[in-house]
């Protein structure tokens, strides 16, 4: 069976997708309730099927949710965690992380998948602030960031949101390094 | 969406409960329907099995 071609405004499988998937495979437990934020093509969520109790994915992009559903992923359309309550044991996110000037924006869905705002952290900051609301007690999140995003600043944002993070994987690609950061509630904030 | 997905969803505006109204479903899941927030008075559509939990007027360029 040949998969249908991916819509041109859906983020395809790239190096960062594969790095986050590698980290997710190492982390996921068979009883996890998993949420993938910004699922794009649905590749990660579909690949985790059968390795977790349940995998749910979301995206803001209407073409992405259709692509993910076509791969058999249980998916909804919403903006980050807006429409979900959780609790989730494992949250995965390959965010828009590239620093982007306003005059560089193309205003289509693929551009939106890359555009991290002027500092690269606009969407990441929103994600970190709302993550504790949906995370189960003892839950973890895996966030992909780039050296271009300012990993130190991301760590400070996580700290401010009551989370602790450590970098797990690093991969050098042309002009940047990619990292997967594992996040959990700080012990003093668990509830 | 499977019916039990409703348990982990909420209104994107107030984070309150949603009431599920089914229009069509198969053995597995709801294909067409609505998720209604009583507090906000908003119906969020389920189309082709995909719930759309965007506040009205958002989500287009």
């Amino acid at each position: 069976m040949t998969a249908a071609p991916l819509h041109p405004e859906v983020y395809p499988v790239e190096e960062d997708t594969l790095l986050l998937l590698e980290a997710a495979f190492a982390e996921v437990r068979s009883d996890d309730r998993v949420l993938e934020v910004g699922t794009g093509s649905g590749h990660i969520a579909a690949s985790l099927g059968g390795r977790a109790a349940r995998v749910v994915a979301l995206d803001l992009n209407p073409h992405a949710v259709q692509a993910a559903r076509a791969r058999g992923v249980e998916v909804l359309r919403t903006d980050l965690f807006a429409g979900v309550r959780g609790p989730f044991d494992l949250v995965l996110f390959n965010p828009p992380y590239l620093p982007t000037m306003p005059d560089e924006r193309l205003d289509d869905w693929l551009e939106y998948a890359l555009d991290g705002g002027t500092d690269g952290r606009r969407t990441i900051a929103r994600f970190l602030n709302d993550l504790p609301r949906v995370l189960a007690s003892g839950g973890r999140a895996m966030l992909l960031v780039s050296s271009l995003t300012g990993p130190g600043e991301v760590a400070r944002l996580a700290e401010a949101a009551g989370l602790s993070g450590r970098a797990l994987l690093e991969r050098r690609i042309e002009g940047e390094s990619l990292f997967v950061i594992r996040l959990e509630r700080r012990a003093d904030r668990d509830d | 969406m499977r019916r039990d997905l409703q348990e982990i969803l909420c209104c994107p505006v107030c984070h309150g409960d949603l009431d599920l109204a089914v229009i069509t479903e198969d053995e597995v899941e709801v294909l067409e329907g609505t998720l209604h927030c009583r507090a906000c008075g908003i119906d969020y559509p389920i189309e082709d099995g995909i719930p759309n939990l965007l506040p009205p007027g958002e989500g287009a360029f």
Side-chain angles (χ1 to χ4, degrees), chain A residues 122-180:
Chain A
R122 183 185 55 201
T123 303
I124 290 170
R126 293 174 54 220
F127 170 85
L128 292 170
N129 283 333
D130 212 13
L131 175 63
R133 178 175 65 83
V134 303
L135 212 52
S137 181
R140 309 89 74 203
M142 316 290 273
L143 174 68
L144 191 130
V145 297
S146 159
S147 51
L148 303 174
T149 314
E153 285 300 318
V154 173
R156 276 185 277 281
L157 291 170
E159 176 90 1
L163 300 159
S164 63
R166 63 187 167 92
L168 286 185
L169 292 178
E170 178 178 357
R171 184 158 302 161
R172 291 179 189 281
I173 60 172
E174 198 175 334
E176 60 181 314
S177 292
L178 303 176
F179 304 87
V180 175

Side-chain angles (χ1 to χ4, degrees), chain A residues 47-71:
Chain A
S47 301
L48 289 172
R51 293 176 184 244
R54 189 167 194 174
V55 180
V56 173
L58 61 85
D59 207 295
L60 182 60
N61 176 346
H63 311 296
V65 291
Q66 287 175 9
R69 180 172 163 83
R71 298 201 51 172

Side-chain angles (χ1 to χ4, degrees), chain A residues 54 69 77-78 82-83 85, chain B residues 4 8 17 29 48 51 53 59:
Chain A
R54 189 167 194 174
R69 180 172 163 83
R77 187 176 180 209
T78 195
R85 162 174 295 157
Chain B
D4 65 355
I8 62 165
D17 291 338
E29 59 174 355
D48 299 324
L53 292 176

Side-chain angles (χ1 to χ4, degrees), chain A residues 54 56 60 65-66 69 74-79 81-86 88 107-109 112 130 133, chain B residues 1-2 4-5 7-12 15-17 29 31 48-54 59-61:
Chain A
R54 189 167 194 174
V56 173
L60 182 60
V65 291
Q66 287 175 9
R69 180 172 163 83
E74 190 172 18
V75 67
L76 69 139
R77 187 176 180 209
T78 195
D79 183 14
F81 300 117
V84 294
R85 162 174 295 157
F88 300 103
D107 291 338
D108 75 15
W109 288 110
Y112 197 87
D130 212 13
R133 178 175 65 83
Chain B
M1 60 168 265
R2 277 159 43 185
D4 65 355
L5 189 70
E7 295 163 19
I8 62 165
L9 302 181
C10 64
C11 173
H15 292 165
D17 291 338
E29 59 174 355
L31 298 172
D48 299 324
I50 303 173
N52 181 346
L53 292 176
L54 292 183
F61 285 112

